[in-house]
Amino acid sequence: MNDDRSASIELTEDLPHSPEKLWKVLTTGELISRWMGLKPKGFEPVEGNEFTYQTGAAGKWDGTIHCKVLESVLNRKLVYSWKGGHAENTGYGTLLDTVVTFELSPTATGTVLKISHSGFKVPRNDTAYRNMSAGWNECAENLQSFDKEN
């Protein structure tokens, strides 16, 4: 019997910049590495594009995160799969099959950015869920300061 239940990380940021500027930050490889701390390899905001991120290895997992762009709507929405881990690992590096969504909504003073990372199976993905919850909060903070720098 599988007792896993689905969990998601949800963040909403009200940023004082245009959707066009945030789109550039979210979809330019060099800029992604600055606010996310992971450098995408082969990323293009085009549906069907497959790319990777590299993080620390664990057990039988080499640390490669495999992603595929599922939806890309210029200045509005970016959705990609986020898969990694290994079925034989426990804790950090367990098998992970999730989806990351960025939604941008223009406002009178800037943009509301919603970040969703869904599909965690808990308790199996408890470590990833906990670590990535903290990580996405840090990314959101980086986006706030990133916007002030540029």
Side-chain angles (χ1 to χ4, degrees), residues 23-116:
W23 181 260
K24 180 179 177 183
V25 171
L26 295 173
T27 61
T28 304
E30 180 183 324
L31 298 180
I32 293 169
S33 66
R34 289 175 56 192
W35 62 266
M36 185 182 277
L38 296 174
K39 185 176 182 177
K41 184 175 179 183
F43 175 78
E44 292 181 40
V46 176
E47 289 180 22
N49 173 250
E50 295 183 13
F51 63 101
T52 59
Y53 290 109
Q54 188 67 45
T55 189
K60 293 188 174 187
W61 179 46
D62 67 358
T64 303
I65 301 163
H66 297 272
C67 303
K68 181 177 182 178
V69 176
L70 304 174
E71 183 177 358
S72 179
V73 180
L74 182 66
N75 300 325
R76 293 289 185 170
K77 188 174 187 180
L78 177 66
V79 182
Y80 55 82
S81 62
W82 179 291
K83 299 179 180 184
H86 191 279
E88 293 182 27
N89 285 353
T90 58
Y92 179 79
T94 58
L95 193 61
L96 189 66
D97 185 356
T98 58
V99 173
V100 176
T101 302
F102 300 94
E103 293 181 86
L104 294 76
S105 301
T107 66
T109 58
T111 304
V112 170
L113 172 64
K114 293 182 180 178
I115 303 171
S116 172

Side-chain angles (χ1 to χ4, degrees), residues 136-148:
W136 282 117
N137 277 303
E138 186 175 319
C139 287
E141 289 176 19
N142 290 342
L143 285 169
Q144 288 282 356
S145 62
F146 188 95
D147 289 336
K148 292 174 187 171

